[in-house]
Amino acid sequence: MQRVLTVETPQKMRERVRVAGWVQTRRDHGKLIFIDLRDSSGVLQLVFRPDDAELYQKAEKLRPEWVISVEGAVRERPKGMENPELATGTIELPVEKLEILNESKTPPFPLDSNGLEIEEELRLKYRYLDLRRERLQKNMRLRSKFVQAARDYLFKQGFVEIDTPLLTKSTPEGSRDFLVPSRLHPGTFYALPQSPQQYKQLLMMAGFERYFQIARCVRDEDLRADRGFEHTQIDIEMSFVEQADIMAMVEGLVLRACETVGATIKTKPFPVFSHVEAMQKFGDDKFDLRTSGEKEAGTLAFAWVKDFPVFERSPATRSGWTYSHNPFTALGPEDEEKLLDGRDIGALVSLQYDLVCNGAEVGGGGIRIAKRPVLEKVFETLGHSKEEIRELFGHMLEALEYGAPPHGGIALGVDRLIMVITGEKYLREVQAFPMTSGGKTAVMEAPTEVDPKQLAGLGLEMKKPR
Ligand code: ASP
């Protein structure tokens, strides 16, 4: 018999159906056994009566998280027994046939709580069980719906979805790279992408004009509640546009995706602050515009911040300057002249814009430098020698000489956006298989040592850890 989902059963009154899923709870009420059966769509109440002794004895064995398949005819619950909180709360299934598909050991922690009381490492070791809890099921489904809405929106706006390589050259996104040794070219390394920044710019040079990718980015950063080694971003790049065009497109996209998952937005269009204004007003370029009432109601308060300084002082670089956001971000015409003349370096303003929501940075992007001498000058100002510039960025400089269109883009952080929408405080509540705060992967507990033969094949040898 064809299986139906529990959520479909209210439409099948008095029909015989087969449902399958996990035993959520078992309640023995005198002569009756009630089971809440959980599947991906929700929960359905099953009833076992003692008339059929064999069936009843089998039902007595059932324990939480066992996997079963049952058949019976859907009927109304007796008066007064309805549960208005459940989609199937007016009906129940008196079971006529029970098949036990699999047993389960007792889970190492309760699955019917919100899970926040359980120790992180234990939750992540058994993440496949942890994910069975309602809160995480909701978060992951909301995330999927959000990304789908964003994708649909971008396709309607004429964007092309394009994958870029995972094994690549280090991108100067400001973090440490994860390196991957090459077997074919011993002694050399790929880097996992900190973002598809250079590839998406190359795609503009390739003539695609509107690119997006739901991109995984990998950065070896210090781990925090809202920052992991890996994150997902809606990565976007457009040609023949100005700052305002990109901001307007992104605003439409963010509104659509947020409203699709039922979020309320405080102010539309999003307010815009200059970096100086934001620092004066809020003392930070990530700020929260919500009133306490709005915080309680889960409202989203988006805002743009723009006009960031191009360079910041840094003791760590040869020139004493580092970039404040992204070395590829363009400057307005006047500041570009000053840069080329080497004047007022500390006061130069970039065409960078960040999207802030409820105190978190949820996106950032900019108009890009499309002229070789300007990009060269930025790298020189950062203290790179001509040799280093050629070595690290020669490919980008060369590409700019073959008719690069004016272009710009943005990356929206999916994990952070889902965190603000759901009101979660930790990344691990919105990612399926997050790292522990100590940097171990969920369930598999990587990183692990590898066979010395594998290392030898890569031309590597492990020094004894000091
Ligand atoms: N590459 C930047 C980032 O990942 C985003 C961008 O400028 O488009 O933060």
Side-chain angles (χ1 to χ4, degrees), residues 337-354:
E337 256 177 55
K338 286 186 188 164
L339 168 75
L340 292 171
D341 295 346
R343 279 187 287 132
D344 296 341
I345 296 299
L348 301 179
V349 167
S350 75
L351 299 178
Q352 167 83 28
Y353 32 82
D354 278 2

Side-chain angles (χ1 to χ4, degrees), residues 173 195 197 200 219 233 235 326 364-366 368 409-411:
E173 218 73 45
S195 91
Q197 182 67 38
K200 68 174 169 178
R219 302 178 186 181
Q233 58 191 33
D235 198 49
N326 184 331
R368 321 297 180 187
I410 195 163

Side-chain angles (χ1 to χ4, degrees), residues 69-140:
S69 167
V70 295
E71 286 177 32
V74 180
R75 71 165 186 211
E76 270 163 13
R77 289 194 191 190
K79 281 267 159 299
M81 305 297 274
E82 299 90 348
N83 179 353
E85 310 227 311
L86 283 184
T88 59
T90 55
I91 56 147
E92 61 186 12
L93 194 75
V95 176
E96 291 161 32
K97 197 171 155 193
L98 162 68
E99 191 183 349
I100 296 172
L101 301 176
N102 221 337
E103 299 184 3
S104 169
K105 296 206 309 198
T106 304
F109 42 66
L111 305 183
D112 56 359
S113 67
N114 68 18
L116 295 172
E117 76 288 3
I118 305 159
E119 200 222 335
E120 179 204 38
E121 288 204 7
L122 189 65
R123 280 181 68 197
L124 296 187
K125 179 167 189 228
Y126 294 98
R127 185 59 158 181
Y128 47 93
L129 298 178
D130 194 39
L131 283 168
R132 288 183 191 173
R133 73 181 72 253
E134 195 182 345
R135 187 172 58 90
L136 295 189
Q137 287 275 324
K138 269 199 193 143
N139 287 356
M140 294 316 299

Side-chain angles (χ1 to χ4, degrees), residues 182-186 188 190 457-458:
S182 159
R183 180 183 56 80
L184 268 183
H185 304 282
T188 61
Y190 301 97
L458 294 165

Side-chain angles (χ1 to χ4, degrees), residues 5-11 13 19 36-37 39 41-46 74-77 81-93:
L5 291 172
T6 58
V7 74
E8 297 166 327
T9 52
Q11 281 85 54
M13 193 60 83
V19 289
D36 279 346
L37 179 85
D39 66 10
S41 71
V43 168
L44 173 65
Q45 176 164 292
L46 312 179
V74 180
R75 71 165 186 211
E76 270 163 13
R77 289 194 191 190
M81 305 297 274
E82 299 90 348
N83 179 353
E85 310 227 311
L86 283 184
T88 59
T90 55
I91 56 147
E92 61 186 12
L93 194 75

